[in-house]
Amino acid sequence: QVQLVESGGDMVQPGRSLRLSCAASGFTFSSYGMHWVRQAPGKGLEWVAFISSDGSKKYYADSVKGRFTISRDKSKNTLYLQMNSLRADDTAVYYCAKDFDASWCLDYWGQGTLVTVSS
Amino acid sequence: QSALTQPASVSGSPGQSITISCTGTSSDVGGYNYVSWYQQHPGKAPKLMIYEVSNRPSGVPDRFSGSKSGNTASLTISGLLAEDEADYYCNSYTSSSTWVFGGGTKLTVL
């Protein structure tokens, strides 16, 4: 069965960096695009970034463009989100999600990892 | 990348039907049949309920249905059950090769 397990969430100060990881199993990781989605405390879902199956295409929300970088390592079946210049409004639970091939939706989600940006 | 517009809350009694709307623009909802809907219970990860406007993944009850007209998509839940009480989010692929969520709708089963 598909499993996505996020890790790396922590409390960091504004301006610092953090890298999130998402370990994937139960499917052929290299065949599917992957997303990061976040949810601020008590708020709605916000799409953050997408990477294509081969890593050649990357797309970002305007709110994180230039600060966050999505990447993947097919040898480790792992998705990453490098977050730089963190701000208080980046505080959220970050979910990784698998793309439903050719349907442009998110069919499996991890349980999320909490990032808190505070001084 | 403005969020799609959903009502903040809807409610219904067990056995009734409710509909949640999701309004976007011609650059997202109106321009593509890539509208999906997600159910989220408190403290849990979202779950895909509808994809490509009206398709249900296996395991999702046929009480859940989706449709679209112009720039507005809709999720209908018929025969409401207590377990349907949750937050619901719509999502659309956009002309910028990004994705956008709606603000979310809290469904209360009375």
Side-chain angles (χ1 to χ4, degrees), chain B residues 2-84:
Chain B
S2 298
L4 306 176
T5 300
Q6 297 181 232
S9 63
V10 297
S11 63
S13 300
Q16 289 187 330
S17 295
I18 63 94
T19 296
I20 300 171
S21 61
C22 169
T23 301
T25 69
S26 57
S27 296
D28 39 64
V29 174
Y32 303 91
N33 285 327
Y34 295 128
V35 176
S36 51
W37 289 89
Y38 302 84
Q39 176 191 66
Q40 187 180 35
H41 287 108
K44 300 295 187 180
K47 175 186 176 183
L48 177 66
M49 305 301 285
I50 296 286
Y51 68 96
E52 289 182 351
V53 176
S54 60
N55 295 315
R56 281 186 311 276
S58 72
V60 173
D62 59 7
R63 301 185 297 105
F64 291 82
S65 62
S67 63
K68 190 184 86 167
S69 177
N71 295 339
T72 298
S74 298
L75 172 71
T76 298
I77 309 173
S78 59
L80 270 178
L81 300 175
E83 66 204 49
D84 297 332

Side-chain angles (χ1 to χ4, degrees), chain A residues 35 37 39 43-47 50 59-63 95 99-100 102-107 109-111, chain B residues 1 34 36 38 40 43-48 50-52 57 89 91 93 96-103:
Chain A
H35 301 260
V37 175
Q39 186 169 34
K43 302 297 184 182
L45 300 174
E46 180 186 13
W47 176 82
F50 168 83
Y59 303 106
Y60 300 92
D62 288 344
S63 57
Y95 296 99
D99 189 68
F100 190 5
S103 294
W104 296 132
C105 65
L106 295 72
D107 61 347
W109 297 61
Q111 286 305 303
Chain B
Q1 293 181 349
Y34 295 128
S36 51
Y38 302 84
Q40 187 180 35
K44 300 295 187 180
K47 175 186 176 183
L48 177 66
I50 296 286
Y51 68 96
E52 289 182 351
Y89 296 90
N91 177 274
Y93 179 72
S96 302
S97 297
T98 60
W99 285 256
V100 61
F101 281 97

